Structure formats: structure tokens, C-alpha cells
Amino acid sequence: MPRSLPPLNALRAFEAAGRHQSFSRAADELGVSHSAISRHVRGLEQRLGVQLFREASRGVTLTAEGSHYLDRIGPAFDVIDDATDGLSDTPMGRVTLNSEPTFAINVVAPLLASFERQFPEIELRIIASSAMADLDRYEADLAIRFTRSGVVDVPSDLISNARVYPFAAPGLVPDNVLLPEHLAQFRLYKDRGDDVWRWWCDVAGFDVTLPAQDGWRLRSALAQEAVIYGAGLLMASRDGVLRDVEEGRLVQLSQVGLSHGAFHLLTSGQAGRRKAVRQVRAWLLEQTIALRDH
Amino acid sequence: MPRSLPPLNALRAFEAAGRHQSFSRAADELGVSHSAISRHVRGLEQRLGVQLFREASRGVTLTAEGSHYLDRIGPAFDVIDDATDGLSDTPMGRVTLNSEPTFAINVVAPLLASFERQFPEIELRIIASSAMADLDRYEADLAIRFTRSGVVDVPSDLISNARVYPFAAPGLVPDNVLLPEHLAQFRLYKDRGDDVWRWWCDVAGFDVTLPAQDGWRLRSALAQEAVIYGAGLLMASRDGVLRDVEEGRLVQLSQVGLSHGAFHLLTSGQAGRRKAVRQVRAWLLEQTIALRDH
DNA sequence: CGCTCTTGTGCATTTTCGGCACAAGATATG
DNA sequence: CATATCTTGTGCCGAAAATGCACAAGAGCG
């Protein structure tokens, strides 16, 4: 890098330390440790051959040279700050969300109209996919993924951990209350691949032998559609059937829920710095509060 | 580093590339490869979420956002450049030593050539003065002061506590051995204000009445010069006449020495932290080991 | 006197920077 | 039209810089 200029990070450290008259407070502002600030500043002094600070009780004070230098470069940094912030208000306002299909279709898609009214300057592109997008390679800015264990190794927020419950078309099951014998009478559907019917029965205390699963359709909205028309019973999380339940097309057959993993909203460390991405993330988390059990 | 600002090196690369409309020419200016510039710029675009350049045949051209951004941060970098250049004219490698005149002249000055060879990067300024410099107000970085009691209330090192002895030109006194009757035959000189001749006689057991002192020249090298030419006897500490004794211009007339205070090397607590000041202090203490009786 | 706050620094780890080598596209030239 | 030249893009890897941790030391305070 340019030999005529000192490391600009060191200049940044100096500017903050000079403004605060404190390495510790500069460190807080810049999000690093005080030792990083100390090293930057002393390295800068060595390089420039000028003492910029002298010790004071509880902090540092600027020397005459340091004060003069700060007077000159402080405003320059302010200009850079303002210019950079100004840019961020004109984002490539496109945010790409790569989501689990059921979540995309059942939760996100119905909210898009509202989103567009609220954020007309942001173009939210949704990719419904089960494949894990590489956020670090900018394939998507945000991703919604389902995990069973809850351990996620990238920056993420819990977006939904709703339990799964049995649902059916109203009236299909007498009094809309599921009994063990019903399980043999109706076709069983589910919104995910795991053996959630088996596991739910264990939790509910149903001592039955379930029929062998036939032709299960992986996360298919078609299954949900079929259940709405009385084709059988559906084991699903509330987020996936929220709208159908609200509009009376499905009813919940039991208060017993099965804890079965959670959906996480993953954020690229890089894209996460962009204002538009931060806005989308905040909006998603707000819109899905009801999907998170406490 | 600061989450709100992009890497400043990347900004620098952008500024140069924008100014040149070329990654290759920016690379030449900044002394890096074109690939470094390319990476910086594209990384900046990713981070800001804004396209700053578009491809052109043979080089790049700025987008509207890029051009506006450059218009704002370009001058800011110019300010930082100027301010930094302005600083480099006030080097940190300057150390100011405020010393007692005799010590400065007789001990320090003769060593300066050696010092400059050993520390070419340090400019040692010597102020020969009896006035007490205020180290805490950066009037000097180091000070050499004479105290009679040895108690110093600032951080200091003993630099010389050599006793005072009588000296004369070789052959002036028979067998170069001082006897009581000699005191009346020769003019008496001394290197300090106190009545060191009287006190020395007491210690030496000379029961004589000393002639009244006439026109005593305070710490004057002239007195030493006069004694070298046989004008009389000199009571001085060894540090002041070291060189003249070594080169045979003066001889010591007695092994009886008078303990009479000491010279201390005072260090400003603040300046003492600077590497150059520490180096000068260590060097002085090393060079004056012979001046310290144990 | 003990506690708190602040800076300094050795050491190790992490992150960023940068060079090399090559690829690819556009332009110029014979 | 083929070749040469110029410019940017990028994978890979090593170097350099940045950073945190842990501790030390000094000053102020109750």
C-alpha cells in the first residue's frame, strides 16, 4: 500500500482516541480491544516520528502536534463517514432470501404485499430451495434453514420453533378431537421428512401401530391442499398452516405439540452490513414473533 | 475495526483507481499489483452494496454513484495526505538534555561524536544551563542537576558522585604532591561555588589559613584552562577534568577526596516513555559509570 | 489498603493484504 | 485474420497486519 500514508486503520484509531481522550473509549467505539488501539497509536507515533499523546491520569491527552494533526484529519474522516453513509442510502436495494420451500410459501410469500408497501425501495427476491446457499459467496444475503438440533455455525436468529400438531379439515374427525383409533381410519400426511407421526404418538401417549407410509410427498403444498379437501390428517407446524387455520379450512386436532427442531434465519457476515439486508432481517423477525414458542 | 467504515485501504484503492480510471495505473501509483486494486475495489462494492465502476475498454469508468463518492472522499484523502506530510517535519527522534554547564562541556560534549555514530536517528540537543528546567512542561526531556544532599523529588538516576580533588599542571607542585604550604604559594581555583577548598583542607588535615578568594569564576572552563597553563591549583571533581588528566595536561595532587553532593540525571515521567529518551538515558548512564564512586 | 480504571506489552491466533500465475476480453497492428 | 498488447478477474498461497487474551503497572478513589 501507499508508502506515503501511514496505515489508515491506525489513523482511524488515533482519531477516535484523540476525540475521546481515551484508548478505552475509542476501543468501545471502534469495536476492538484497548490493546489494539494502543498498538495502533504507538505504531503511528513510531512511524511518523512524532509523539501524539502523553499520559494523563485516567486516559491520555493530546500533545500540541497531536492536537493539530487531529484538527486536520478529524474533519476528513467525518467527510468519509458522511460520504459512505450517503452511499448506503442508495443500496443495490435487492435482497436475496434463500428459504426452505414450505416456509417460503406459507410464511413469507403471504407477507410480500405488506413488505412491498412498507419497503418500496427494496426488491426482495425469494428463492425457495432446500439446498444450502453459500452466504459467504453471495449466493444469497439471507437464508432460512431448518435444523433439528438448533446448533447453527453461522450468524443466525431463531425465526420459528413452533411445535408440530395434527390438523385436519373441520368435521373430518368427530368433535375435531384426535383419538388413537382415528389414525388407522385416515391417511396420514406430514410437512417434513421425519417420522413425526410416530414421534407425536409417543408424546401424546397413543399406543397404536401406524400404517406404513405410502408415497409421502416431500414438503408439498399439494398434501396440505389434499388435507383441506378431506383426504386425511396432516402433521405440521403452525407456521405452515397458519393462514388455512385462520380462514377455517383446517382445524388443530390436539393441544399436544411435538418439539421438532427450528427454523433459523441465517445472515451473511458481509451482506449483513448492508442497510437493506438489515431491514429485511428485522422485518422478518418482527413478522414471525408468533411463530416462536418461549 | 469500525463497523461503519469500510477498510480504508480499500477506499484508498478506490480513490486512486477512480482518479486514474484504471486499476493498473492506480496500482503503479500505490505500489501494489493490479490484482490488489481489483480485489479492494470489488470488495468495497460488495460491502457497500453499490457498484462504483463499470468496465470500459482498456480500463474502467466510474458509475454515477462512484463518481459522486469520489468527489467527496478525494478531497478528504488530500487533507489526510497534507496533514501527515506536515507532521513528518517534527521528528520524534529529538531529545533535549538540559545540563549543568560544566557537566555538559566536560562530560557530555566530548562524547557527542560517539553518540551520533551510535544513534544516527536521534538528534540530541544539549542546553547548558543552571536553571532548573520544568520537565513536566516539556522544556526538556532529560536534565542533569547537581545536588548536595542527594535527595531528588523526581525520577532520577545518580550519574556522578565523584569526590572533588586538587589538580594542577604537571610539575607546578614539586613531585606533584600537595603540601599545606603550597596553598599559600598558588592561586586557588575551583569548579563550583561552595567553599570546597576550605572543606577539603579540613578533610585532608591541613591546618592552614586560606587566602581570601578573589574574583572566583563560576564554573568557568576558563579557570580550568588557566590552571592548565600553570596559573594555580584547581579543586574539581574528576568528571570535569577527566580528559585533561588523561591527556597529561593536569595531574591529581592528592588521593584525598571530598564528598560533595552528586549529579543526577532527571527524567520526565512522560518523555521517559519515549524510546529515544530511554535510549539517551541508558547511554548516558553507561558512559558515566567511571564517574560513580561506590 | 484494596479496588477500579487505564494503558502497555508478550504471545499466539486470526484476518487481511498482496503477489504470482494464469485466464479472458477488447483493441491495435501487420 | 492472426498475433500482440493491454487491462481486469481470480484461485491459491504466503506474508503482513490486526487483534484478543492475559497479565503487569501506575494512578486515583473511598
Side-chain angles (χ1 to χ4, degrees):
Chain A
M1 245 314 144
R3 301 301 182 261
S4 63
L5 270 188
L8 296 177
N9 283 344
L11 275 189
R12 184 63 176 171
F14 160 70
E15 191 274 333
R19 187 162 28 84
H20 287 289
Q21 309 272 308
S22 161
F23 288 3
S24 300
R25 292 213 292 278
D28 287 342
E29 176 180 298
L30 301 186
V32 295
S33 67
H34 83 273
S35 64
I37 299 294
S38 177
R39 247 180 278 263
H40 272 308
V41 167
R42 300 314 177 187
L44 190 61
E45 287 180 327
Q46 283 291 346
R47 182 189 171 102
L48 298 176
V50 172
Q51 188 181 0
L52 299 169
F53 290 101
R54 59 176 166 263
E55 269 170 61
S57 58
R58 301 236 181 210
V60 289
T61 61
L62 286 155
T63 62
E65 296 95 336
S67 183
H68 184 251
Y69 193 40
L70 180 65
D71 285 343
R72 296 198 70 196
I73 71 168
F77 273 112
D78 291 339
V79 166
I80 294 173
D81 280 336
D82 289 343
T84 306
D85 286 343
L87 269 189
S88 302
D89 287 337
T90 60
M92 275 193 320
R94 168 184 292 168
V95 177
T96 302
L97 169 64
N98 184 307
S99 172
E100 282 275 334
T102 48
F103 202 95
I105 292 165
N106 295 318
V107 179
V108 180
L111 298 167
L112 276 182
S114 167
F115 176 83
E116 281 164 7
R117 285 196 293 277
Q118 195 171 335
F119 299 96
E121 75 282 7
I122 300 180
E123 179 195 343
L124 179 56
R125 298 173 62 220
I126 301 176
I127 300 175
S129 166
S130 300
M132 184 56 191
D134 188 336
L135 297 186
D136 287 332
R137 292 181 58 186
Y138 304 96
E139 291 175 5
D141 302 309
L142 295 164
I144 293 176
R145 284 289 167 276
F146 178 81
T147 69
R148 294 177 185 73
S149 68
V151 173
V152 176
D153 61 355
V154 295
S156 66
D157 304 276
L158 176 69
I159 192 167
S160 168
N161 65 346
R163 295 183 180 82
V164 295
Y165 299 86
F167 295 88
L172 182 69
V173 171
D175 296 323
N176 291 331
V177 175
L178 189 60
L179 299 177
E181 58 267 30
H182 294 142
L183 296 175
Q185 291 173 5
F186 298 101
R187 211 177 183 76
L188 305 180
Y189 295 89
K190 55 195 179 183
D191 69 353
R192 62 200 65 191
D194 291 329
D195 199 358
V196 288
W197 274 107
R198 171 75 272 147
W199 297 343
W200 184 87
C201 287
D202 292 343
V203 170
F206 284 16
D207 187 14
V208 294
T209 301
L210 295 176
Q213 300 295 321
D214 69 344
W216 182 79
R217 295 181 187 87
L218 180 63
R219 292 182 187 81
S220 167
L222 205 57
Q224 187 161 326
E225 193 78 5
V227 166
I228 287 170
Y229 284 103
L233 311 177
L234 174 70
M235 184 65 65
S237 67
R238 251 203 293 258
D239 53 313
V241 300
L242 201 62
R243 189 59 52 97
D244 288 322
V245 169
E246 283 175 352
E247 295 180 1
R249 291 189 289 273
L250 289 176
V251 291
Q252 188 171 316
L253 300 178
S254 172
Q255 295 307 317
V256 175
L258 170 71
S259 294
H260 183 253
F263 286 94
H264 294 268
L265 177 60
L266 313 182
T267 313
S268 162
Q270 300 303 331
R273 298 177 192 284
R274 280 159 52 203
K275 185 175 179 182
V277 173
R278 295 201 300 271
Q279 284 175 312
V280 171
R281 171 182 167 275
W283 171 83
L284 275 172
L285 292 174
E286 181 193 347
Q287 294 295 318
T288 52
I289 287 178
L291 300 182
R292 290 189 283 286
D293 295 340
H294 302 308
Chain B
M1 240 326 143
R3 301 301 181 259
S4 62
L5 268 189
L8 297 177
N9 283 343
L11 276 189
R12 184 66 174 169
F14 161 69
E15 190 274 333
R19 189 161 28 83
H20 287 290
Q21 308 271 311
S22 162
F23 288 2
S24 300
R25 294 214 291 275
D28 288 341
E29 175 181 296
L30 301 184
V32 296
S33 67
H34 82 274
S35 65
I37 300 294
S38 177
R39 244 182 280 266
H40 273 308
V41 166
R42 299 315 177 187
L44 189 62
E45 287 181 326
Q46 285 290 352
R47 180 187 171 104
L48 298 176
V50 172
Q51 189 181 358
L52 299 169
F53 289 100
R54 55 172 160 267
E55 277 168 55
S57 59
R58 300 235 183 211
V60 290
T61 60
L62 285 155
T63 61
E65 297 94 335
S67 183
H68 185 253
Y69 195 39
L70 180 65
D71 286 342
R72 298 198 69 194
I73 72 168
F77 273 112
D78 292 338
V79 166
I80 294 173
D81 281 337
D82 290 342
T84 304
D85 287 342
L87 266 189
S88 302
D89 290 335
T90 58
M92 171 177 163
R94 168 185 290 169
V95 177
T96 303
L97 170 66
N98 183 308
S99 171
E100 283 274 333
T102 48
F103 202 94
I105 293 166
N106 294 320
V107 179
V108 179
L111 298 169
L112 276 184
S114 167
F115 176 83
E116 281 164 7
R117 282 196 294 276
Q118 196 170 336
F119 300 97
E121 74 282 7
I122 300 180
E123 180 194 342
L124 181 57
R125 298 175 59 219
I126 301 177
I127 301 177
S129 164
S130 300
M132 183 57 188
D134 188 337
L135 296 187
D136 288 333
R137 291 178 56 189
Y138 299 92
E139 291 175 5
D141 301 310
L142 295 164
I144 294 177
R145 283 294 167 275
F146 178 80
T147 68
R148 293 176 186 76
S149 67
V151 174
V152 177
D153 62 354
V154 297
S156 66
D157 304 275
L158 174 71
I159 194 168
S160 170
N161 65 347
R163 293 182 181 81
V164 295
Y165 300 85
F167 296 88
L172 182 71
V173 170
D175 294 323
N176 291 330
V177 174
L178 189 62
L179 299 176
E181 59 268 27
H182 294 142
L183 296 176
Q185 294 172 3
F186 298 101
R187 212 175 183 79
L188 303 182
Y189 296 87
K190 59 193 177 181
D191 70 351
R192 61 202 65 193
D194 291 327
D195 200 358
V196 286
W197 275 109
R198 172 75 273 153
W199 298 342
W200 185 85
C201 286
D202 292 344
V203 168
F206 283 16
D207 189 14
V208 293
T209 302
L210 295 175
Q213 299 293 324
D214 67 344
W216 182 76
R217 296 184 186 84
L218 179 62
R219 294 184 186 82
S220 166
L222 204 58
Q224 187 160 328
E225 194 78 4
V227 166
I228 288 171
Y229 284 102
L233 312 179
L234 174 70
M235 183 65 66
S237 67
R238 245 200 299 255
D239 53 311
V241 300
L242 201 60
R243 186 61 51 98
D244 289 321
V245 169
E246 284 176 351
E247 296 180 2
R249 291 190 289 273
L250 290 176
V251 292
Q252 187 169 316
L253 300 177
S254 172
Q255 294 307 317
V256 177
L258 169 71
S259 295
H260 181 251
F263 285 93
H264 293 269
L265 177 60
L266 312 183
T267 313
S268 161
Q270 302 303 331
R273 294 176 187 280
R274 281 160 52 201
K275 182 175 177 181
V277 173
R278 292 201 302 272
Q279 284 176 310
V280 171
R281 171 182 165 276
W283 172 81
L284 275 171
L285 293 174
E286 181 193 346
Q287 294 295 318
T288 52
I289 287 178
L291 301 181
R292 288 189 284 286
D293 295 339
H294 304 306

